[in-house]
Amino acid sequence: DSGVTQTPKHLITATGQRVTLRCSPRSGDLSVYWYQQSLDQGLQFLIQYYNGEERAKGNILERFSAQQFPDLHSELNLSSLELGDSALYFCASSTTGTYSYNEQFFGPGTRLTVL
Amino acid sequence: DQQVKQNSPSLSVQEGRISILNCDYTNSMFDYFLWYKKYPAEGPTFLISISSIKDKNEDGRFTVFLNKSAKHLSLHIVPSQPGDSAVYFCAASYGNQGGKLIFGQGTELSVKP
């Protein structure tokens, strides 16, 4: 158990809908990262928040957005869903976001299926 | 543009022998490298890391080697155990991009009793 929690574990929805994925980092971790793993791609970095502020952005679609709240939990919002958004979404956390020399601890993931 | 590559999608090894997983990268700005292990239906689990100022790091049965001139790293598992069977991902990051990790495609290791 990494100490990172994600809800829900599974999510099935229809095209055009909007969903929210939630992540609670390990106690004491200030950084939260979101990654997407689809069948034909490896783990792709989406976005990072550090202590409530956006720190780095990857190839995140404009239909996707995220935020980190004062209690440090984070939410990833996916809207106007398409079939191709079906994937595993992982959240990870680390102690700092300033330097790269820190490992990230991953949650169990949310499996999103868009029908 | 795949900056981190794991060219072997799978590897099969006998229990007790050495497993060697390889990873190549193209971006010379990467300064921190990590290996993660992933079981089905679980998130990746951190195994071991190495910074670019070192060429070797050991933790129990796991050793990571870094060859900066060849832009190559490898993970050695000795001795391999059936419980090591999983997908192994290498990842890289560089300081001015915060902590975001660039992952390889993964290598599925099967350790046979």
Side-chain angles (χ1 to χ4, degrees):
Chain A
D1 183 356
S2 67
V4 178
T5 61
Q6 288 187 250
T7 56
K9 197 169 176 61
H10 300 278
L11 200 46
I12 301 175
T13 188
T15 54
Q17 295 297 305
R18 173 189 166 96
V19 296
T20 297
L21 282 54
R22 183 189 168 102
C23 168
S24 292
R26 291 187 320 157
S27 177
D29 283 359
L30 298 178
S31 265
V32 169
Y33 310 80
W34 287 97
Y35 292 85
Q36 178 193 57
Q37 185 183 27
S38 46
L39 273 177
D40 56 346
Q41 304 269 348
L43 282 147
Q44 302 283 324
F45 170 75
L46 293 177
I47 197 163
Q48 175 198 359
Y49 277 82
Y50 174 71
N51 204 20
E53 294 189 2
E54 184 182 302
R55 178 59 61 94
K57 216 167 185 175
N59 295 327
I60 187 168
L61 298 171
E62 283 191 15
R63 301 182 285 108
F64 295 3
S65 65
Q67 54 185 325
Q68 186 179 28
F69 295 87
D71 67 352
L72 300 177
H73 91 271
S74 178
E75 293 180 356
L76 179 67
N77 300 296
L78 316 176
S79 62
S80 303
L81 284 167
E82 302 175 0
L83 295 177
D85 297 328
S86 295
L88 268 168
Y89 291 85
F90 290 103
C91 168
S93 73
S94 68
T95 52
T96 72
T98 306
Y99 301 103
S100 62
Y101 299 104
N102 60 96
E103 56 267 28
Q104 295 175 24
F105 295 87
F106 282 76
T110 293
R111 180 173 292 282
L112 173 66
T113 302
V114 182
L115 302 174
Chain B
D1 175 27
Q2 187 101 28
Q3 297 186 71
V4 179
K5 296 180 188 178
Q6 294 175 256
N7 292 317
S8 299
S10 63
L11 175 68
S12 184
V13 168
Q14 208 66 31
E15 180 179 6
R17 306 293 276 254
I18 184 171
S19 295
I20 300 176
L21 297 104
N22 294 302
C23 180
D24 297 295
Y25 62 96
T26 57
N27 192 332
S28 57
M29 298 298 292
F30 288 141
D31 58 5
Y32 187 55
F33 303 89
L34 308 90
W35 284 93
Y36 283 84
K37 172 179 171 180
K38 187 180 180 306
Y39 293 116
E42 293 184 14
T45 301
F46 169 74
L47 267 179
I48 191 168
S49 63
I50 187 167
S51 73
S52 59
I53 60 173
K54 295 186 173 182
D55 54 19
K56 178 181 172 182
N57 189 27
E58 255 180 288
D59 185 1
R61 297 186 297 114
F62 302 93
T63 303
V64 56
F65 294 92
L66 176 62
N67 182 333
K68 287 189 291 295
S69 60
K71 294 193 181 69
H72 177 83
L73 64 154
S74 61
L75 174 69
H76 293 209
I77 307 174
V78 184
S80 301
Q81 300 172 354
D84 296 329
S85 298
V87 178
Y88 288 77
F89 292 94
C90 70
S93 71
Y94 42 119
N96 65 358
Q97 293 289 315
K100 81 171 187 183
L101 297 178
I102 312 297
F103 281 87
Q105 294 293 91
T107 296
E108 184 171 9
L109 173 65
S110 175
V111 180
K112 301 195 182 302

